[in-house]
């Protein structure tokens, strides 16, 4: 029997973040969160000019010789360059790691700041400005603006969960989040699921929500029912000017499984592909436990409470190569 079935494109709801009709926006978002945990957001406030700059600068970095990129190899704070095969998202089905290279950029925290002692916080690694002029400025500007899009989206999510619109604005959640911008380059390999070869293996995201910008090359697939046999995979097509938003594991746990953190993967089709996910995770000490609006006597909490830092650190350790592997 076939391991999986690949269908056409998934039909996702589109949420206009500038719409004055909040009721309709919340309704569309709630339906999407319960159905697949994936949707588009439009009129988000980030200019096409900035998006074009970010993609151009991302390509400029990945076009550098490998020895230049390896000078910025990912450190223990998960900042910097990740080579091809560094990440293994689906060890059961993958032959090697993911056929992609990446670059992590977190919240910039100076070395002498006490917060820099926390996992996932600290100074970023930046390419030499003589080699890539304007690169850091472009990425920092986008990092800041992307967080504002996440905050707008989170307000609608809160309303969809029958919470106060500012629920996720609390200091321990989006007041000081672990916000991680990641540049990705899929180098034109052709994936073959039957042989365990993927651009990115099947996984769900770990945090609150992910804001994904993509180029025009298709490759992202979602599986709405991971337990189905065979699994059914549907493409999420890129839409010019829109972000793809998907929910992470933290939101599934908060909502007691009402909202979905859906499994997804990337298949390569022989073209270079660039994408830019922006992962937003609540603050280190945020305790994620079932919301009162998502539980009852008939529907008790399905997940034990967990601290965000603990969950995220374990996930990264499970999916990334040990840094000692690069010592040579």
């Amino acid at each position: 029997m076939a391991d999986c079935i690949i269908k056409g494109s998934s039909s996702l709801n589109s949420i206009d973040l500038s719409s004055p009709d909040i009721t309709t926006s919340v309704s569309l978002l709630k339906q999407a969160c319960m159905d697949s945990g994936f949707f588009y957001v439009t009129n988000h406030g980030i200019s096409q000019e900035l998006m074009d700059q970010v993609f151009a600068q991302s390509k400029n970095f990945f076009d550098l010789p490998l020895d230049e990129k390896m000078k910025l190899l990912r450190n223990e704070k998960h900042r910097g360059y990740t080579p091809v095969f560094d990440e293994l998202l689906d060890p059961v089905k993958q032959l090697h790691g993911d056929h992609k290279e990446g670059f992590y950029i977190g919240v910039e925290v100076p070395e002498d700041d006490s917060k820099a002692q926390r996992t996932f916080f600290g100074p970023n690694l930046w390419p030499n400005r003589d080699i890539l002029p304007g690169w850091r400025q472009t990425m920092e500007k986008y990092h800041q603006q992307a967080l504002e899009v996440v905050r707008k989206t989170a307000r609608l999510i809160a309303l969809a969960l029958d919470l106060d619109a500012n629920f996720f604005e609390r200091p321990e959640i989006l007041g000081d989040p672990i916000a991680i911008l990641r540049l990705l380059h899929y180098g034109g390999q052709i994936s073959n699921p039957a042989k365990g070869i993927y651009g990115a293996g099947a996984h769900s995201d770990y945090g609150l929500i992910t804001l994904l910008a993509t180029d025009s090359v298709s490759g992202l697939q979602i599986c709405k029912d991971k337990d189905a046999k065979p699994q059914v995979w549907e493409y999420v097509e890129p839409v010019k000017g829109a972000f793809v938003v998907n929910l992470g594991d933290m939101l599934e746990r908060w909502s007691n499984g009402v909202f979905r953190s859906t499994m997804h993967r990337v298949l390569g089709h022989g073209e270079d592909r660039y994408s830019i996910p922006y992962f937003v995770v609540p603050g280190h000490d945020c305790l994620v436990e079932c919301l009162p609006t998502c539980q009852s006597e008939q529907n008790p909490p399905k997940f034990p409470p967990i601290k965000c830092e603990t969950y995220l650190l374990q996930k990264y350790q499970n999916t990334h190569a040990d840094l000692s592997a690069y010592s040579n």
Side-chain angles (χ1 to χ4, degrees), residues 98-269:
D98 291 357
H99 276 272
K100 70 177 191 291
E101 55 181 344
F103 195 95
Y104 281 115
I105 303 166
V107 177
E108 181 73 18
V109 178
E111 196 73 66
D112 59 0
D113 189 314
S114 61
K115 290 200 300 186
Q117 305 307 311
R118 304 298 303 262
T119 54
F120 301 103
F121 270 9
N124 284 296
L125 302 179
W126 300 109
N128 188 307
R129 68 183 67 182
D130 295 331
I131 298 175
L132 294 177
W135 201 90
R136 174 175 178 171
Q137 291 83 347
T138 299
M139 297 306 165
E140 289 190 322
K141 181 178 181 181
Y142 179 69
H143 199 294
Q144 292 165 359
Q145 292 193 19
L147 185 56
E148 289 309 306
V149 178
V150 167
R151 287 190 163 120
K152 291 178 190 175
T153 307
R155 284 194 273 275
L156 296 177
I157 291 173
L159 293 171
L161 288 168
D162 297 319
L163 303 168
D164 181 87
N166 296 319
F167 176 84
F168 294 109
E169 292 287 331
R170 292 187 297 172
E172 70 274 21
I173 304 178
L174 291 180
D176 197 15
I178 302 170
I180 302 166
L181 174 62
R182 195 174 189 199
L183 313 175
L184 293 175
H185 171 228
Y186 298 85
Q189 296 83 6
I190 297 176
S191 296
N192 187 337
K195 294 184 178 180
I197 299 170
Y198 299 87
H203 65 286
S204 60
D205 289 351
Y206 315 142
L208 180 65
I209 59 175
T210 302
L211 193 69
L212 176 68
T214 69
D215 63 11
S216 60
V217 179
S218 183
L220 174 65
Q221 296 181 328
I222 62 174
C223 176
K224 294 179 183 177
D225 183 1
K226 64 184 178 182
D227 297 320
K229 295 189 186 312
Q231 292 176 342
V232 177
W233 290 89
E234 304 170 66
Y235 279 98
V236 174
E237 297 298 344
V239 174
K240 182 78 170 177
F243 286 113
V244 176
V245 177
N246 66 281
L247 310 184
D249 298 344
M250 298 297 180
L251 199 48
E252 181 170 278
R253 296 174 78 101
W254 251 319
S255 71
N256 208 23
V258 175
F259 284 4
R260 308 273 302 282
S261 177
T262 293
M263 194 162 64
H264 51 285
R265 67 186 188 185
V266 174
L267 297 189
H269 301 290

Side-chain angles (χ1 to χ4, degrees), residues 1 6 15 66 71 102 120 128 150 218 241 244 251 287 289:
M1 183 187 289
I6 298 177
I15 316 299
L66 181 59
K71 292 176 183 177
F120 301 103
N128 188 307
V150 167
S218 183
V244 176
L251 199 48
L287 188 69
E289 53 187 335

